[in-house]
Amino acid sequence: MQQWQMITMRGGAQTRIAVAAGLVLGAMSAMAQGTIPVLPPPSAGKPVNITVDLSKTVGAYKPIYSWFGYDEGNYTTQRDGKVLLKELHDLSPVPVYIRAHHLLTSGDGVPELKWSSTNVYTEDANGKPVYSFKILDEIFDEYKAAGVRPMVELGFMPKDLAADVPGRDVPYQVHYPKSAISGKSNNPPKDYAKWGELARVVTAHFVERYGRETVKQWYFEVWNEPDIDYWHSTPEDYWKLYDYAVAGVRAALPEAKVGGPATTSPRNPKAYTYLKNFLEHVNSGKSAANGKALPMDFISFHAKGAPKIVDGKVTMGVSSELQDTDHGFQLISTFPKLRNLPIIISEADPEGCAACSSKVNPANNYRNGTLYPAYTASAYKRLFELQDKYKVNLLSMLSWSFEFENKDYFEGFRSLSTNGVNKPVLNFFRMAALMSGNRVATTSTGGLSLDAIVQNGVRGESDVDAFATKAADSSAAVMLWNYHDVEGAGPVVPTSVAVSGLPAGANRVLVTHYRIDDTHSNAYTVWKAMGSPQNPTTEQYQKLQAVDGLELLASPEWVDANNGTVTLNTEMPRQSISLVTLKW
């Protein structure tokens, strides 16, 4: 009898092995339990041939995937937030970095959509600063417990330090769905010296509590998106905010890694100019805080796509995110003193509002299924290609996605899990974490060129392409995808992958094939097959967690190499992603 095996990897560890004798019998049994949706239709697409040449190195593979962030910093200490932090740590062999808004915001520490607080800074009746680290420590202690590292975003303005801005008669906090960034929490400081001292005291506290060697590994970023309403003042005032903040951080920890400006989409001329003028300020200016040259250890900006509903279907905008990246990299490459600095795309996402669910914007329902990870896979390769094009130093594509506590199951927030159930997109990051070493050359008869996808996205033929790495430990990995901007079914594409350049003596290769599609690594389709329960039973919840990790398409197998080449055949449904690992 033929054996059927499915292995789920969740949280970086193998947690479930189900073996059934007889492929058909096993699949029928699983389908009867509601754990596997119906099989995809037979192949109908034009065959695609992919080549991978392990002997041709393109460049280093950097773990740009291992960065995540969210608005609601207080979710860090919530039930599902704690679990997810540990899962993020466990999926990656390298350190995972976490960026959160509202680390300096005043309030009671109770999160709301697009809002959190720590109340770290208040002033007494005489205007003397009073520091309270209780809530901030709870957040950072949780980072420590999970084994992740903070990217410390210095924002937003404490209530007692926020200046009044003429023409803005608003309360300190404005609640979502009104503009949560329109309140005084995003005003400039009434005293920049106190702002700089706040940065110094907070950094000094981190050093005392967590140790100098630990905090040296963190990144300190000044504010968020100052070119839009996150900052209620002029660009020049932001330069000043940056100057005082980094002077304060460096006074407490001279080795601290500081940077910014975390501006929005550089494809927008206004945002491009803002970033350009900030870089010129750092490149040639002197600090308003101390008159010295300005430190900057990394450059950050944001890159966002633009999904819409077109003819009743979610239609993604991967070209927008890639155009942002293209413009940002091009600009940075024009500064000889800065072009080699690490670049952190401190929000790299398909669109701009993580807290806007599909109830608010139906286009955001893409976040639940396979369209989200397929989009991310297609963009992932192009981020590396754009880095190579401009000869800059990409360090991070930070996914602004985490979890939203106590919301409906699969409500359509941009998140990695829902009520403790992993979404398919989290499995993309598990795939990316299984790649290492150097990037190697690939070709595909079904892949789009860099220029084509940057300019037009994927609106005609699907992007059926590959991205591959070779490690020093006699292993390689090939990521495959069939992506289209428009959601919905499409032809299943027969795909042949020829991997050449295997070393002499590698006569047998162990091939392991992971898959994300409608029937693998996908708790969303299983949840829908259950009837979309908002109060799942214990048995239903256990079934969801049993299928929400990274699953194998088939059992691992040993394949014979022929003259240093192995050829693998598979079928790629629309919006599917595969990771094939090879060991010899």
Side-chain angles (χ1 to χ4, degrees):
M1 295 288 286
Q2 185 179 17
Q3 296 294 307
W4 172 65
Q5 183 181 58
M6 181 169 62
I7 298 176
T8 298
M9 294 180 65
R10 190 173 193 271
Q14 179 176 315
T15 58
R16 180 175 60 91
I17 301 180
V19 181
L23 175 62
V24 177
L25 183 60
M28 289 176 62
S29 174
M31 290 178 68
Q33 298 175 39
T35 59
I36 298 184
V38 295
L39 294 174
S43 300
K46 180 181 177 181
V48 166
N49 296 312
I50 289 172
T51 68
V52 178
D53 190 342
L54 300 180
S55 68
K56 291 185 178 180
T57 297
V58 174
Y61 177 68
K62 293 182 286 187
I64 65 172
Y65 63 84
S66 64
W67 300 66
F68 303 90
Y70 41 103
D71 290 72
E72 302 82 3
N74 297 121
Y75 282 158
T76 304
T77 58
Q78 303 279 305
R79 180 196 62 190
D80 293 334
K82 291 180 179 181
V83 172
L84 182 56
L85 275 182
K86 187 64 167 60
E87 288 186 313
L88 295 180
H89 168 271
D90 290 349
L91 71 77
S92 173
V94 300
V96 167
Y97 283 87
I98 303 294
R99 174 183 185 253
H101 290 342
H102 294 291
L103 295 180
L104 304 180
T105 304
S106 300
D108 58 6
V110 177
E112 301 177 18
L113 290 180
K114 301 184 75 66
W115 179 267
S116 275
S117 57
T118 66
N119 219 47
V120 67
Y121 179 97
T122 55
E123 293 183 358
D124 64 17
N126 297 317
K128 181 180 178 181
V130 177
Y131 294 94
S132 172
F133 292 103
K134 180 180 183 299
I135 298 174
L136 193 65
D137 284 349
E138 290 173 349
I139 293 171
F140 280 73
D141 286 355
E142 203 60 53
Y143 293 155
K144 179 181 178 180
V148 300
R149 295 179 182 177
M151 180 182 183
V152 183
E153 180 197 302
L154 296 172
F156 295 114
M157 197 57 62
K159 185 175 183 179
D160 290 351
L161 191 52
D164 292 323
V165 175
R168 296 191 78 112
D169 185 16
V170 292
Y172 179 73
Q173 179 184 359
V174 177
H175 299 272
Y176 179 82
K178 293 182 179 180
S179 175
I181 60 175
S182 62
K184 289 184 68 174
S185 57
N186 293 81
N187 283 8
K190 61 186 179 184
D191 185 326
Y192 281 87
K194 285 185 175 180
W195 163 255
E197 179 65 3
L198 169 60
R200 187 198 68 78
V201 171
V202 168
T203 306
H205 176 77
F206 288 150
V207 170
E208 179 182 7
R209 188 174 184 86
Y210 303 107
R212 177 178 295 271
E213 294 304 311
T214 294
V215 181
K216 280 167 56 177
Q217 299 171 326
W218 301 359
Y219 292 81
F220 290 79
E221 183 184 46
V222 181
W223 214 256
N224 177 71
E225 297 184 346
D227 55 309
I228 60 173
D229 208 38
Y230 272 98
W231 175 244
H232 301 162
S233 195
T234 64
E236 291 74 20
D237 279 347
Y238 173 74
W239 312 163
K240 192 174 180 181
L241 186 86
Y242 177 88
D243 295 358
Y244 276 86
V246 297
V249 171
R250 284 289 186 87
L253 182 63
E255 310 96 323
K257 292 179 280 193
V258 297
T263 43
T264 61
S265 305
R267 73 179 189 275
N268 180 303
K270 178 178 177 291
Y272 182 96
T273 300
Y274 199 108
L275 178 58
K276 178 175 182 289
N277 290 342
F278 172 76
L279 294 178
E280 289 176 344
H281 168 67
V282 173
N283 192 46
S284 58
K286 291 184 178 181
S287 171
N290 54 29
K292 298 179 181 179
L294 283 160
M296 186 164 67
D297 300 294
F298 65 89
I299 301 167
S300 63
F301 66 85
H302 296 168
K304 301 284 187 174
K308 300 176 182 178
I309 298 289
V310 179
D311 297 328
K313 294 183 177 181
V314 176
T315 302
M316 304 298 283
V318 69
S319 62
S320 297
E321 181 177 341
L322 295 176
Q323 286 174 25
D324 281 340
T325 305
D326 184 87
H327 283 72
F329 288 179
Q330 177 275 325
L331 173 60
I332 293 167
S333 73
T334 66
F335 287 83
K337 287 168 55 178
L338 306 178
R339 65 176 301 152
N340 293 322
L341 288 179
I343 297 171
I344 297 176
I345 307 179
S346 54
E347 294 182 25
D349 303 293
E351 34 63 42
C353 181
C356 301
S357 75
S358 54
K359 293 179 180 179
V360 175
N361 179 5
N364 287 342
N365 202 55
Y366 81 86
R367 298 159 166 178
N368 289 326
T370 59
L371 183 55
Y372 190 1
Y375 170 106
T376 307
S378 183
Y380 193 63
K381 175 179 182 176
R382 277 68 188 209
L383 294 178
F384 280 103
E385 290 180 333
L386 287 168
Q387 172 200 243
D388 297 345
K389 175 182 177 181
Y390 291 107
K391 296 180 173 60
V392 293
N393 180 17
L394 177 62
L395 179 64
S396 157
M397 62 151 217
L398 187 148
S399 177
W400 197 250
S401 56
F402 189 56
E403 64 95 18
F404 289 84
E405 205 83 15
N406 298 318
K407 301 299 181 183
D408 284 352
Y409 282 80
F410 296 100
E411 191 172 337
F413 292 104
R414 189 180 341 112
S415 57
L416 303 171
S417 71
T418 173
N419 292 296
V421 177
N422 293 171
K423 290 184 174 182
V425 68
L426 185 54
N427 290 316
F428 163 81
F429 294 100
R430 291 189 171 115
M431 284 183 171
L434 293 174
M435 308 181 81
S436 63
N438 288 318
R439 293 176 285 132
V440 295
T442 63
T443 68
S444 173
T445 60
L448 298 182
S449 70
L450 175 63
D451 288 344
I453 198 168
V454 169
Q455 293 304 315
N456 304 310
V458 186
R459 301 299 174 89
E461 296 294 322
S462 291
D463 179 43
V464 183
D465 208 349
F467 177 75
T469 59
K470 179 184 178 183
D473 63 350
S474 300
S475 68
V478 184
M479 184 180 288
L480 312 167
W481 57 88
N482 177 355
Y483 169 71
H484 199 283
D485 274 344
V486 181
E487 74 166 342
V492 178
V493 178
T495 306
S496 175
V497 184
V499 182
S500 64
L502 289 163
N507 299 317
R508 296 269 285 168
V509 177
L510 178 62
V511 176
T512 305
H513 190 163
Y514 301 94
R515 170 63 67 82
I516 304 170
D517 60 20
D518 282 347
T519 60
H520 299 85
S521 314
N522 192 335
Y524 179 54
T525 51
V526 174
W527 176 76
K528 289 197 297 181
M530 292 175 174
S532 305
Q534 285 302 333
N535 295 289
T537 65
T538 298
E539 181 182 6
Q540 287 175 321
Y541 190 81
Q542 289 172 343
K543 286 182 179 180
L544 292 174
Q545 287 201 317
V547 298
D548 70 353
L550 183 58
E551 294 182 335
L552 289 176
L553 181 63
S555 298
E557 60 180 348
W558 287 92
V559 177
D560 292 329
N562 183 11
N563 295 322
T565 300
V566 295
T567 300
L568 313 170
N569 294 298
T570 190
E571 294 186 336
M572 299 297 297
R574 178 71 62 87
Q575 317 301 10
S576 66
I577 313 96
S578 282
L579 184 79
V580 179
T581 64
L582 304 96
K583 294 184 179 181
W584 56 87

